[in-house]
Each structure stands twice: as structure tokens, then as C-alpha cells.
Amino acid sequence: MQSNSFFSVKIKEVIAALERFAPLPLQEGFDNAGLQLGLTEAWECSGALLCLDVTERIVDEAIEQGCNLIVSHHPLIFHKLSHITGENDVQRIVMKAIEHHVAIASMHTNMDNARGGVNFKIAEKMRLHDVDFFVEAKTVNGVDGASGVMGTLPEPMAADDFIVMLKREFLVECVQANELLRRPISKVAICGGAGSFLLDDAVKAGADAFVTGEMHYHEFFDHEQKIQICVIGHYQSEQFTSEIFRDIIERDCPGVRCVITTTCTNPILYL
């Protein structure tokens, strides 16, 4: 699709481009990815604000930037809304977005799972090569998808150097890790966000390290010298997802102005 006019692309076309890249059937059964609210058939896109989470400040930023579309990673509407009275943040966000004619779409686990999606972006930041899925993938509308990826570092690294690299590349203040591996790290398995369910699969796949955003305390046990666990934070692991949105929209919907949010929506502080 070619466009010469700033206002010539409808919001539905932007969402369609994102869903071609990461088809909704790739999302997990618990998820609620896709259009959250908005009249996408009628509205032309004045700009797309790209973010990880939708907060009231994000909606304010979209209004300030003249963007009538917000594309987030995490869905705004995840649980059933029985009523909309403004009693919590999700209800207030819905009300404000409707009042200001801002559409909201979320590309969540479909974007996690898609080839070239969130986990591939994390691998890119680590400069991994030969990156591919390490669990069985499925294909939807010609797009392969699975929950995690594995790749190889340009050069093997000692465990402490690997952790320093993660802190630098992902702007992480601290990394949760198990006992430092006493062999070089070469193969790295990745699952952004809450990915601990893939830890044992990563071990079976021969990974030296497993990088994810969240893990529970007891899941760290019994992996000493089997694999280097590195937990970098949910927000930190997925913070570059907006770059994927931008690249898709700029390629498939030229003329649509993309704005990556300057608002940090991470609710966790490291004190």
C-alpha cells in the first residue's frame, strides 16, 4: 500500500498491518489481543502512539501528540468490564479514550510468539545469531509462531560478563540470577515477560542461559550448573516492542506518523 497523504490511512489499515505480522490466532488462550476500543472503520489515523502499557498518562500523551491511535503491547482490557463508572484506572482510561476519540489496539502474546516479534527483538539487542524457536512452532496465515527463541552469542562469554552485558543493553539496575555458571555461555534461550514456563524446555534444548522477565522463587532451585538463569524484569525485557510496531507501520502504512512514548509505565521501582 502506498500513501502520499498524511491523513489517507485509516486506523483499520494500521491494525490490519500489525495483525498480518502477528496474526491474532497466535495469541495464547488467556489473552485479549487486538482492537480494544475505537471506530476504526471510519477514522483516519492522525498518528500512532506506541507503548508497552496503556495508562492515563499514555492517553494524555496521545492527545498531546495528536495521535488518535494507541498501539500497546499489554492489553488495556484484559478482564471483563461489567460496568464503566470510572472507579478504577482501566475504566477511567476507557472513558478518556472514548471522550477524545482515541482508538486503542494491543498486540500481546501474538506479537510475543510471531517470528520477528518480541523475543526476536530481545535476541537482536543481545546480538545473537542463528535465532529460531526452540519449542514446536505453529503456522497461522503463513506466519510461524512459538513461545520462545534461542540463538548464539557472537563469542562465548563468562557468566558474570554476560550479566553485565544484559544490564547494559536493557538498562537493568539488577539481574536476578542463580549460581553463576562455571562454563562459557554461548547458546541463549529467551522468553520475554513471564517466561518461566519455558525454563525446562530451554535446558532440554541445550541452552547455556535462559533470559526472561519474571520467575518465582522456587523455580530457581535445582538448576545450578545446568543453566544460567537471568531475570531482567518484565518491563525491561519487553521495552523495545514499540520499535517492532514502528517498523511494521512505517513499512506497510507509509504516511502514518509513529511516536514512541517517552512515558515509562514500569510500576516497579528498584530502591
Side-chain angles (χ1 to χ4, degrees), residues 129-166:
H129 58 82
D130 300 325
V131 179
D132 209 343
F133 304 116
F134 66 90
V135 294
E136 185 177 358
K138 65 178 180 179
T139 302
V140 176
N141 299 335
V143 179
D144 293 337
S147 298
V149 302
M150 186 164 67
T152 305
L153 287 165
E155 298 289 340
M157 300 179 71
D160 53 350
D161 291 332
F162 180 73
I163 290 172
V164 169
M165 179 272 289
L166 292 176

Side-chain angles (χ1 to χ4, degrees), residues 223-262:
H223 289 91
E224 296 82 2
Q225 299 309 312
K226 293 180 183 178
I227 194 168
Q228 184 66 65
I229 297 171
C230 297
V231 179
I232 63 175
H234 196 125
Y235 177 92
Q236 290 87 342
S237 70
E238 298 178 333
Q239 63 185 299
F240 301 110
T241 304
S242 293
E243 295 180 7
I244 307 172
F245 298 155
R246 178 197 61 200
D247 292 346
I248 295 168
I249 296 169
E250 289 184 346
R251 181 192 66 204
D252 293 352
C253 301
V256 172
R257 180 171 55 95
C258 291
V259 179
I260 293 180
T261 181
T262 58

Side-chain angles (χ1 to χ4, degrees), residues 192-217:
S196 61
F197 66 98
L198 284 178
L199 176 59
D200 290 335
D201 291 296
V203 174
K204 292 176 184 176
D208 301 307
F210 179 65
V211 178
T212 189
E214 289 184 35
M215 278 185 56
H216 293 295
Y217 172 82

Side-chain angles (χ1 to χ4, degrees), residues 32-241:
N32 187 40
L35 179 64
Q36 305 284 289
L37 61 90
L39 301 175
T40 64
E41 293 285 332
W43 294 354
E44 293 176 332
C45 187
S46 63
L49 182 72
L50 315 176
C51 60
L52 194 65
D53 311 284
V54 184
T55 64
E56 288 191 76
R57 174 65 195 121
I58 288 291
V59 178
D60 290 338
E61 186 178 2
I63 296 166
E64 292 163 7
Q65 292 287 341
C67 297
N68 64 351
L69 172 63
I70 294 171
V71 180
S72 70
H73 183 46
H74 297 137
L76 169 64
I77 302 173
F78 198 77
H79 302 290
K80 176 184 176 182
L81 288 177
S82 300
H83 52 267
I84 302 176
T85 59
E87 68 181 27
N88 59 40
D89 60 341
V90 173
Q91 293 182 27
R92 289 190 294 272
I93 293 164
V94 168
M95 293 169 68
K96 178 175 285 191
I98 292 173
E99 178 185 358
H100 292 276
H101 305 289
V102 175
I104 299 173
S106 302
M107 302 290 132
H108 190 208
T109 53
N110 56 318
M111 189 62 71
D112 287 328
N113 294 342
R115 183 174 295 279
V118 175
N119 293 316
F120 285 84
K121 176 59 73 172
I122 296 170
E124 175 190 315
K125 296 298 180 180
M126 283 191 246
R127 299 174 180 81
L128 302 186
H129 58 82
D130 300 325
V131 179
D132 209 343
F133 304 116
F134 66 90
V135 294
E136 185 177 358
K138 65 178 180 179
T139 302
V140 176
N141 299 335
V143 179
D144 293 337
S147 298
V149 302
M150 186 164 67
T152 305
L153 287 165
E155 298 289 340
M157 300 179 71
D160 53 350
D161 291 332
F162 180 73
I163 290 172
V164 169
M165 179 272 289
L166 292 176
K167 294 178 70 173
R168 180 182 68 247
E169 297 300 327
F170 295 91
L171 306 176
V172 176
E173 298 179 51
C174 63
V175 173
Q176 290 183 317
N178 62 342
E179 179 181 88
L180 291 182
L181 203 64
R182 292 191 293 272
R183 67 172 189 269
I185 292 173
S186 182
K187 291 185 177 181
V188 181
I190 298 166
C191 186
S196 61
F197 66 98
L198 284 178
L199 176 59
D200 290 335
D201 291 296
V203 174
K204 292 176 184 176
D208 301 307
F210 179 65
V211 178
T212 189
E214 289 184 35
M215 278 185 56
H216 293 295
Y217 172 82
H218 292 285
E219 293 169 321
F220 283 85
F221 283 100
D222 196 31
H223 289 91
E224 296 82 2
Q225 299 309 312
K226 293 180 183 178
I227 194 168
Q228 184 66 65
I229 297 171
C230 297
V231 179
I232 63 175
H234 196 125
Y235 177 92
Q236 290 87 342
S237 70
E238 298 178 333
Q239 63 185 299
F240 301 110
T241 304

